[in-house]
């Protein structure tokens, strides 16, 4: 079985793996790259089935590939992008890569040689770990970038742009499937006083704490975003006006009873909330729904803050100031 | 097919070589797939590569299509890039024949396998006849989405002067399968091919 024509010094020095098998998948040759990475000796594995020597190979898949090489006398390929590795080999970049195994590009080539009695296949294994690592960094960065693009930097809830996009989509969905949809807009009461008393750091602290606390009271499907300054919005899919008022009342009460400790001082705050439900034929644009919730919020402020007001169908004017 | 400097004899000779190559490919495929493969005589055309995007824009505009590219290079300056274009519903049909099960492999892997087999069996048959032999780069899926086919073709064909269009239509026993193959080749490859064709013609 040993083939003198394969014992070239170049193959031994090559920084890629070379394995030669026959039509019964028996190993005829492997080069030093494979010997060293897989801790095998050619003399010990020659003549053995490649599937016995490399027990982790995807056998059915590789057989189909090798069969096509033999039958069609054409090369077959495998890229790390589809199959990270075929041979479980360690790589030489242990710190920078999250993967334990060498990412590989493999070519399976029909080998025609007059010296060989049987049809042979040459399997070329190229180390693609670098490309794999770069790709992983890139994917991770893109995910972070996407999150940063959605999030409000301070409070970590959705930012206004993304939140409004979601509102448009939810309105579209609600109109198509005839599901109810409600919106809560709320505002932190007397935020200016907080800033004056505790400084901007104190004001920011309250916004962060409040956003995180209210976020914990919501369902996973609710979409919570910062509309601007101390004003926030919550999109409630599949929720009618009554349900949304209930949610708003619960949040309003919980916030009033939620003390926050800042620089050894307890801060207590309250919120005013406006609730509106989507009226399919009336609210054609997301701005229409926001305007209705905003009108209700304004009324909640006028009525003395720390309370919930809902928008009534047909209401077009802000209430006159109470008292 | 347009002439592009090819004499009538050269043109006929090329068509004949391609017919035979396609026949060899379908024979190999039939044996590999264990099914009868009937192949229509492919119609070929040699055009300037810059005309390619517009020609295929309509056919692939409103359908989910895939575009797979594979480079090839042989002796005597024969080299180029083979592009296989097909509609995804056709790709799904042939993947079943190749023995793939749903979820077995990724769609991209399936696409590259199919394209590589089609391209290399055909081009090997072509190379054999002109006493050449070809090496191939690994196939790459350039796209498998709707609508951007013409932009991609534009970017791909930009680097090449000429394109040999080959309409491939495989009829498998229970299924019909159509795809387009485009061989993008540089100007000097055309000259080389002409020289090879002349040599073949002289032998007759």
């Amino acid at each position: 079985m040993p083939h003198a024509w394969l014992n070239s010094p170049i193959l031994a020095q090559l920084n890629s793996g070379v394995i030669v098998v026959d039509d019964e998948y028996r190993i005829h040759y492997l080069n030093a790259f494979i010997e060293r990475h897989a801790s095998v000796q050619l003399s010990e594995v020659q003549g053995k089935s490649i599937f016995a020597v490399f027990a982790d190979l995807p056998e059915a898949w590789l057989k189909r590939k090798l069969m096509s090489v033999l039958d069609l006398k054409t090369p077959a390929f495998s890229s790390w992008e589809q199959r990270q590795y075929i041979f479980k080999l360690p790589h030489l970049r242990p710190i920078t890569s999250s993967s334990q195994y060498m990412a590989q590009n493999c070519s399976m080539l029909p080998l025609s040689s007059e010296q060989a009695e049987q049809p042979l296949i040459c399997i070329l294994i190229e180390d693609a770990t670098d490309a794999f690592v770069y790709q992983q960094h890139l994917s991770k960065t893109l995910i972070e970038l996407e999150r940063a693009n959605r999030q409000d930097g301070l409070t970590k809830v959705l930012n206004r742009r993304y939140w409004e996009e979601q509102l448009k989509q939810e309105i579209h969905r609600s109109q198509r499937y005839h599901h109810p949809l409600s919106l809560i807009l709320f505002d932190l009461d007397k935020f200016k006083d907080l800033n004056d008393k505790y400084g901007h750091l104190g004001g920011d602290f309250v916004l962060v704490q409040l956003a995180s606390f209210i976020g914990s009271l919501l369902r996973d499907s609710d979409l919570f975003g910062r509309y601007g300054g101390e004003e926030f919005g919550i999109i409630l899919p599949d929720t009618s006006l009554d349900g949304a008022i209930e949610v708003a009342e619960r949040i309003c009460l919980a916030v009033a009873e939620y003390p926050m400790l800042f620089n050894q001082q307890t801060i207590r705050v309250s919120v005013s909330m406006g609730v509106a439900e989507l009226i399919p034929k009336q609210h054609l644009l997301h701005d229409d729904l926001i305007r209705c919730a905003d009108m209700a919020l304004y009324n909640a402020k006028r009525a003395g803050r720390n309370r919930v007001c809902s928008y009534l169908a047909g209401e077009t004017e802000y209430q006159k100031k109470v008292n | 097919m347009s002439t592009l400097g090819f004499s009538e004899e050269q043109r006929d000779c090329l068509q004949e070589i391609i017919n035979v190559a396609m026949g060899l490919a379908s024979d190999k495929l039939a044996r590999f797939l264990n099914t009868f493969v009937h192949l229509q005589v492919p119609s070929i055309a040699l055009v300037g590569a810059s005309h390619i995007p517009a020609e295929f824009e309509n056919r692939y505009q409103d359908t989910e299509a895939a575009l797979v590219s594979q480079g090839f290079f042989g002796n005597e300056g024969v080299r180029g890039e083979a592009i296989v274009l097909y509609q995804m519903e056709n790709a799904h049909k042939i993947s079943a024949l190749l023995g793939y099960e749903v979820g077995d492999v990724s769609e991209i892997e399936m696409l590259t396998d199919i394209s590589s087999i089609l391209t290399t069996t055909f081009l090997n048959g072509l190379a054999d006849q002109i006493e050449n032999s070809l090496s191939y780069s690994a196939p790459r899926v350039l796209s498998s989405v709707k609508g951007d086919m013409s932009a991609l073709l534009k970017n791909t064909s930009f680097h090449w002067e000429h394109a040999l269009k080959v309409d491939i239509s495989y009829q498998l026993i229970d299924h019909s399968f159509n795809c387009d193959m485009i061989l993008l080749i540089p100007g000097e490859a055309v000259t080389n091919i002409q020289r090879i064709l002349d040599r073949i013609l002289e032998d007759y």
Side-chain angles (χ1 to χ4, degrees):
Chain A
M1 186 173 278
H3 300 290
W5 52 278
L6 279 166
N7 288 327
S8 103
I10 296 170
L11 282 186
Q13 292 293 323
L14 197 63
N15 209 9
S16 298
V18 178
I19 301 177
V20 176
V21 296
D22 62 25
D23 53 355
E24 290 166 84
Y25 312 113
R26 288 179 306 186
I27 295 173
H28 282 236
Y29 173 81
L30 43 84
N31 71 347
F33 180 93
I34 297 290
E35 283 189 324
R36 288 167 193 169
H37 279 89
S39 304
V40 293
Q41 289 297 317
L42 174 58
S43 54
E44 285 165 19
V45 299
Q46 204 161 41
K48 289 186 184 165
S49 160
I50 191 171
F51 299 108
V53 175
F54 301 94
D56 296 314
L57 287 174
E59 188 168 339
W61 176 88
L62 186 58
K63 277 186 174 168
R64 191 173 57 208
K65 285 266 189 191
L66 296 176
M67 212 112 81
S68 81
V69 175
L70 288 171
D71 285 357
L72 302 172
K73 297 270 181 295
T74 55
F77 300 92
S78 169
S79 157
W80 64 270
E81 288 174 278
Q82 282 97 55
R83 203 166 280 263
Q84 196 192 328
Y85 54 82
I86 295 173
F87 293 86
K88 258 191 181 176
L89 306 175
H91 57 70
L92 304 174
R93 296 161 193 79
I95 303 160
T96 51
S97 170
S98 64
S99 163
Q100 231 179 314
Y101 301 107
M102 179 196 293
Q104 298 157 4
N105 284 328
C106 290
S107 310
M108 289 148 262
L109 312 165
L111 213 55
S112 56
S113 167
E114 284 163 16
Q115 287 99 321
E117 293 159 13
Q118 275 174 296
L120 297 175
I121 303 166
C122 171
I123 306 173
L124 269 179
I125 300 144
E126 286 168 85
D127 185 349
T129 307
D130 283 339
F132 173 74
V133 171
Y134 296 143
Q135 183 64 52
Q136 275 198 322
H137 284 316
L138 183 65
S139 311
K140 219 176 108 204
T141 309
L142 286 176
I143 289 167
E144 277 167 17
L145 203 62
E146 205 195 319
R147 190 169 51 220
N149 204 23
R150 287 197 314 231
Q151 236 177 22
D152 173 56
L154 179 68
T155 61
K156 307 297 175 210
V157 300
L158 303 178
N159 63 30
R160 177 169 175 170
R161 185 190 49 75
Y162 185 75
W163 182 82
E164 281 198 58
E165 262 170 42
Q166 296 302 108
L167 180 61
K168 284 178 200 166
Q169 280 182 23
E170 288 300 333
I171 288 177
H172 193 65
R173 207 168 292 152
S174 154
Q175 284 168 338
R176 187 174 344 145
Y177 300 111
H178 306 291
H179 289 179
L181 174 72
S182 293
L183 175 67
I184 301 174
L185 277 187
F186 70 89
D187 198 288
L188 182 56
D189 292 332
K190 302 197 165 165
F191 185 60
K192 189 178 175 299
D193 294 354
L194 276 179
N195 273 330
D196 289 347
K197 192 167 171 190
Y198 301 102
H200 284 285
L201 281 180
D204 285 353
F205 172 81
V206 168
L207 288 176
V208 171
Q209 291 287 304
L210 195 68
S212 149
F213 176 62
I214 292 175
S216 73
L217 301 175
L218 299 173
R219 302 172 297 184
D220 284 346
S221 55
D222 299 335
L223 295 154
F224 184 21
R226 187 175 178 196
Y227 196 68
E230 69 275 26
E231 193 171 347
F232 294 85
I234 305 168
I235 304 163
L236 302 162
D238 293 320
T239 309
S240 63
L241 184 65
D242 289 346
I245 292 173
E246 211 179 297
V247 173
E249 296 278 9
R250 194 155 47 83
I251 294 172
C252 195
L253 280 174
V255 167
E257 285 167 15
Y258 180 67
M260 286 169 266
L261 196 65
F262 177 73
N263 283 350
Q264 281 103 41
Q265 297 177 78
T266 303
I267 305 178
R268 288 186 179 277
V269 297
S270 66
V271 288
S272 300
M273 309 188 115
V275 187
E277 183 182 2
L278 182 79
I279 304 165
K281 284 184 183 147
Q282 199 175 324
H283 298 137
L284 297 174
L285 297 170
H286 80 288
D287 288 343
D288 298 333
L289 183 59
I290 289 179
R291 210 183 50 243
C292 291
D294 195 46
M295 209 180 280
L297 167 59
Y298 181 84
N299 290 339
K301 289 268 183 201
R302 281 294 164 95
R305 301 191 179 86
N306 187 22
R307 69 191 63 213
V308 176
C309 274
S310 58
Y311 173 79
L312 301 171
E315 198 172 13
T316 53
E317 281 181 32
Y318 294 104
Q319 282 176 19
K320 295 274 186 305
K321 186 172 180 178
V322 182
N323 301 327
Chain B
M1 111 182 188
S2 73
T3 51
L4 210 86
F6 276 66
S7 71
E8 200 170 323
E9 287 82 12
Q10 286 172 333
R11 206 177 56 191
D12 291 346
C13 184
L14 183 60
Q15 174 77 56
E16 185 54 29
I17 286 173
I18 282 172
N19 292 354
V20 173
M22 205 54 87
L24 289 171
S26 67
D27 180 54
K28 275 187 175 178
L29 275 176
R31 266 185 275 168
F32 180 62
L33 300 175
N34 247 332
T35 176
F36 180 72
V37 178
H38 173 72
L39 186 80
Q40 285 169 11
V41 175
S43 73
I44 62 170
L46 193 59
V47 297
S50 56
H51 294 113
I52 283 293
E55 290 204 26
F56 286 92
E57 192 169 0
N58 288 335
R59 193 179 311 182
Y60 291 96
Q61 199 170 30
D62 296 319
T63 161
E64 204 187 340
L67 188 158
V68 183
S69 148
Q70 189 165 18
F72 60 90
F73 46 100
N75 307 320
E76 297 184 73
V78 174
R79 64 185 181 92
E81 183 175 345
I83 307 278
V84 182
L85 294 169
Y86 38 84
Q87 304 184 341
M88 282 308 291
E89 46 186 312
N90 274 319
H92 294 308
K93 275 188 214 160
I94 205 168
S95 70
L97 283 166
L98 283 178
Y100 292 114
E101 284 161 31
V102 179
D104 190 13
V105 292
S106 70
E107 190 154 80
I108 303 258
E109 187 170 355
M110 183 191 87
L111 287 177
T112 51
D113 275 6
I114 299 167
S115 307
S116 181
I117 286 177
L118 286 174
T119 306
T120 55
T121 48
F122 168 68
L123 286 177
N124 274 358
L126 193 72
D128 277 351
Q129 294 176 80
I130 57 174
E131 289 167 11
N132 209 318
S133 77
L134 297 173
S135 302
Y136 301 93
S137 65
R140 282 178 308 135
V141 174
L142 294 181
S143 157
S144 55
V145 291
K146 231 174 181 170
D148 60 349
M149 193 57 89
S150 119
L152 267 165
L153 273 174
K154 206 173 277 173
N155 291 338
T156 309
S157 55
F158 180 76
H159 304 283
W160 305 96
E161 286 159 81
H162 304 298
L164 185 62
K165 283 195 304 163
V166 185
D167 282 333
I168 303 177
S169 176
Y170 285 103
Q171 199 87 40
L172 300 160
I173 198 149
D174 302 318
H175 319 262
S176 69
F177 172 78
N178 296 291
C179 65
D180 288 294
M181 187 185 286
I182 305 166
L183 304 177
L184 295 166
I185 47 181
E188 73 258 30
V190 170
T191 317
N192 285 316
I193 289 169
Q194 282 174 325
R195 211 178 49 232
I196 293 163
L197 292 174
D198 285 340
R199 202 168 62 212
I200 294 170
L201 287 165
E202 268 170 38
D203 290 346
Y204 282 107

